[in-house]
Amino acid sequence: MVRKDVPEYPTEPLKCWDEAKALRRKYYEDYLTAKEKGGIRWAGGAWSFSAIPEGLGDDVYCITSEPYGATIAFFKEFAMKCQEATEAAGYARDLCAYMRNYWGSELRDEYILADGRIVKGFPLPDFIWQDHICCSHAKWYQVVREIAKKKHGKDIPMYCIDVSVGPHIPRLHDELTDWRLEYVTKQLLDGIEWLEKVTGRRFDDKRMIDAIYNEMRSTSLWAEICTLNANVPAPLDEKTMYSLYVLGTLMKHKKECVEFYEKLLAEVKDRVRRGIAACKHERCRIITDTQPPWGFLSIFRYLEREYGCVSVGSLYTFGLIGMWEVKEDGTLGPKTVPPKSALKDRETAVRMYAEWMLNKPEWPHFFNPRVKSDLLIKIAKQWKLDGVALHYNRGCEGLSVHITQNRLDLLRAGIPVMVFEGNMGDEREFDMPRTLARFDMFMESLGLSKIKKE
Amino acid sequence: MVNADEILNEFKEVVEKRHEYAKAWKERTNGKVVGYFCTYTPEEIFYAADNILPVRVAPGHALEGMGVVEPYIYSMFCPLCRDCCAQGFLGRYDYLDGICIGQSCIHMRQAFNAWRHYMKEDRGKDYEFKYYIYVPHGVQNPPAVPYMAAEVAEFKRAVEKWIGKTLTDADMDKGIKIMNRTRQLLTQLYEFRKRDDPPITGTEALYTVLAAMYMDKREYNDKLEQLVKLLPDRKLDRQTGFRLMTLSSLNDHVDFIHKVEELGSTVVIDEQCTGIRYFWGEVPEKPDRMMAIAERYILKRIPCPAKDWPERWRLEHVKRLAKEWNVKGALYLQYKFCDPHELDVVAVRDALNEMGIPMYFLELDVTVPWGQFRTRVEAFFEALGGIEELF
């Protein structure tokens, strides 16, 4: 419920903020220096079952494509150079912005670290381990291979798992059948044999099982953290959450991620207990949708500062990494982690891992927009929202697919909706003044005027 | 005695009046018409069911649709899916009893889902049958074949439930035979296009394949069989000109192709959904009919770029077709914003260039700007002809 008065909540920075930043910095540095440590590198999407290559040893380093593309996007000058390099190579500028950033980095043979330092020499992976759900995913890495071959004469082996088997949200919309689960499981099991063949390493099932269990825990923990944002005032805001959820996109299979999210959960619970707010004057609560325009995250601060409007998350922030389930009472909550003993052998663990991943809330909309609409409506009620801001993200067709239909469903459910056009990774397609003007109009439509400054 | 021109004109008539054809078919047979959104839909199941006519949902190529589609599909998605979607909301397909999609690119799914969810809500038009087949994308992964077989089996059960009839092995064999016959005949027809003086233009070939997507194949196959018998003796009163290949998705821009050919060329082969990708590869004879159908759609047909990974199987087909049909130049006709085809442009161009075949890229939209495209195609032809001086 929108407040006309201007409340004043206590705020304080997150204690674990610096640790989150340090973990992310180390991740990109570790990938760069992997060879110096005698390790191996792989590249693939943030969703590509990263626990499985962990079975190859404790010196396996990965770079997940979308977060790297987003990192580039945050540093606009470098992003522009990457996009121009990609366009000069003959690729259209309406293609996925993350992908173009990534290719550009490879074409320029430059690698950017989390703090913006650019180093010479794009660190090529030893193999590609990818999953495919949007039209670009697998083909992204076809081009990565082709660039590597042209520029460095290196042919990088590639394996890709098709996960397009339909929505799997039990108690809401579930089309996962035995044969669909078997299809994904079989690809993963075949993939393990492929990994052994291309790396020459013996696969360690126990290491993989540990990694799968870590992933289940970290993704459930992230969901649990997100549920705390249903409190008023919200202890976290979405812009802050981006720096926290990203660890799940990089290393959800790692023990460090589990430990960090456990720490974060405790801290956020404490903030709730003490009524610590992310937004000092929280008067209005919204969520967004799809990736944000990474180079323009200041729009969140604008809303908080000018209107006391806090974005408490999004299906993207909650469900890209977080694993959820619909509880018996119909609410959304963290997915129940099975006991580790249930992951008793390779086949069982891989099957359970496949089911776990296929439950991802950010996947159903690829097949049926109504499932996402139902999830958004649940979030709106449970997180006590006043409205939804949909980012018509020209940089990502995958997460924007069906978005206009979601808009219709939200409106028909009586939820105020605004839309703004933009691009998560290409600043040429984002108009800041126009976007702010749209947000101003939306706030006005919700009955809010700007907070008067003293 | 019927001649080739008459048959080709019949096909042209069906293509240009496809809705009238479908409505007349319904009235004549009392059957049901299903609109499908992608060539990965196994039509064999519909033909096994006897009195169902599957028709490819096609764009209208007029701007009127763009106003109605905006609430359902954002403008950054391809104009093909938006135009197809629009045709439904304009009422062009109100005669359909069912809709179906073989899992395709993400763009086209939006058109299917808009019809699935909003046609009733917003227009009061409902469908008896609405089905999404989870056709795998990972066609190069071995588990894809048994998976597809399971999906086809589930699809078959859904159709049986709809029509209230079990489809026996004999029914399935009938459906497979009808589809395979179309494939065999079109393959034969395409062989004639290898000749130095092909007896059929690219425009006529395009009409022929499109007619397959709109006509009852039981009637279509009879006419096509007659045409294939007549073609060897057919002589066209025209120069072949530059031998072209078109690469595209749902290229049904017959007028554009005709105009390109009028400039001094013949489209002798294509690699597109409204061409060889539709009919290449037959369903093998196997006791397990579901597995047989799965094999055809996963392994034997030329893959859509959306499903062509990690290796580029499609590229091998493109090179082979270009060589066997003695292609001199290629036109890459890609719908704006089509990711799968955009992602292949560089690889296809490089491969054709290595063979000494120049490729020219043209971006398609709802309509084709012939004025501008004419200039570009003419320039491409000048380059093909080796003319070094323009003036």
Side-chain angles (χ1 to χ4, degrees), chain A residues 94 139 142 146 150 160 162 175 179-180 187 366-368 370 397 402 404-405 409 412 421, chain B residues 72 74 103 107 109-110 113 117-118 121-122 134 137-138 141 151 305 308 312 339 342 344 350:
Chain A
D94 59 88
K139 300 190 77 70
Q142 275 186 326
E146 281 154 5
K150 273 185 200 164
C160 189
D162 178 16
E175 293 183 45
W179 72 80
R180 287 171 187 156
Q187 289 176 87
F366 281 99
F367 318 106
N368 188 339
R370 282 280 154 94
E397 289 174 3
H402 295 116
T404 44
Q405 295 174 36
D409 292 341
R412 290 172 191 187
E421 286 188 271
Chain B
Y72 306 108
Y74 179 38
Q103 184 165 249
H107 297 245
R109 293 181 217 178
Q110 295 177 106
N113 277 316
H117 295 302
Y118 300 98
E121 274 178 37
D122 294 352
Y134 291 101
H137 290 311
N141 293 347
E151 286 296 322
D308 189 34
R312 291 194 187 273
D339 277 10
E342 271 175 350
D344 275 8
D350 288 351

Side-chain angles (χ1 to χ4, degrees), chain A residues 89-92 94-96 99 103 132-136 138-140 142-143 145-146 150 158-162 164-167 173 175 177 179-180 182-183 186-187 190 365-370 373 392-398 400-409 412 421-422, chain B residues 69-77 103-107 109-114 116-118 121-122 131-132 134-145 147 150-151 154 157 305-312 315 334 336-340 342-347 349-350 363:
Chain A
Y91 296 98
D94 59 88
L95 287 168
C96 167
M99 186 168 67
W103 289 344
H132 182 87
I133 187 153
C134 73
C135 292
S136 308
K139 300 190 77 70
W140 179 325
Q142 275 186 326
V143 174
R145 290 174 82 193
E146 281 154 5
K150 273 185 200 164
M158 174 174 165
Y159 192 85
C160 189
I161 301 124
D162 178 16
S164 309
V165 296
H173 190 109
E175 293 183 45
T177 58
W179 72 80
R180 287 171 187 156
E182 177 63 18
Y183 172 56
K186 188 72 173 66
Q187 289 176 87
D190 287 352
H365 74 276
F366 281 99
F367 318 106
N368 188 339
R370 282 280 154 94
S373 296
Y392 280 17
N393 180 1
R394 301 174 77 89
C396 178
E397 289 174 3
S400 299
V401 71
H402 295 116
I403 199 168
T404 44
Q405 295 174 36
N406 297 130
R407 171 184 166 273
L408 285 178
D409 292 341
R412 290 172 191 187
E421 286 188 271
Chain B
V69 77
E70 200 63 33
Y72 306 108
I73 304 179
Y74 179 38
S75 53
M76 80 179 205
F77 291 95
Q103 184 165 249
S104 63
C105 61
I106 61 175
H107 297 245
R109 293 181 217 178
Q110 295 177 106
F112 171 78
N113 277 316
R116 171 159 70 161
H117 295 302
Y118 300 98
E121 274 178 37
D122 294 352
Y131 198 86
Y132 186 118
Y134 291 101
V135 176
H137 290 311
V139 301
Q140 296 180 23
N141 293 347
V145 176
Y147 171 63
E151 286 296 322
E154 181 78 349
R157 280 190 286 274
K307 298 181 191 291
D308 189 34
W309 46 265
E311 306 306 325
R312 291 194 187 273
L315 213 52
Q334 177 225 294
K336 191 156 72 166
F337 306 141
C338 171
D339 277 10
E342 271 175 350
L343 284 157
D344 275 8
V345 169
V346 172
R349 188 190 61 216
D350 288 351
E363 195 173 69

Side-chain angles (χ1 to χ4, degrees), chain B residues 202-217:
Chain B
T203 311
E204 290 168 334
L206 181 53
Y207 271 122
T208 305
V209 178
L210 287 169
M213 296 177 162
Y214 305 137
M215 278 179 83
D216 184 335
K217 287 185 176 63

Side-chain angles (χ1 to χ4, degrees), chain A residues 106-117:
Chain A
E106 191 187 358
L107 284 163
R108 290 177 61 84
D109 205 16
E110 289 175 334
Y111 179 70
I112 191 165
L113 293 161
D115 56 10
R117 278 179 294 140

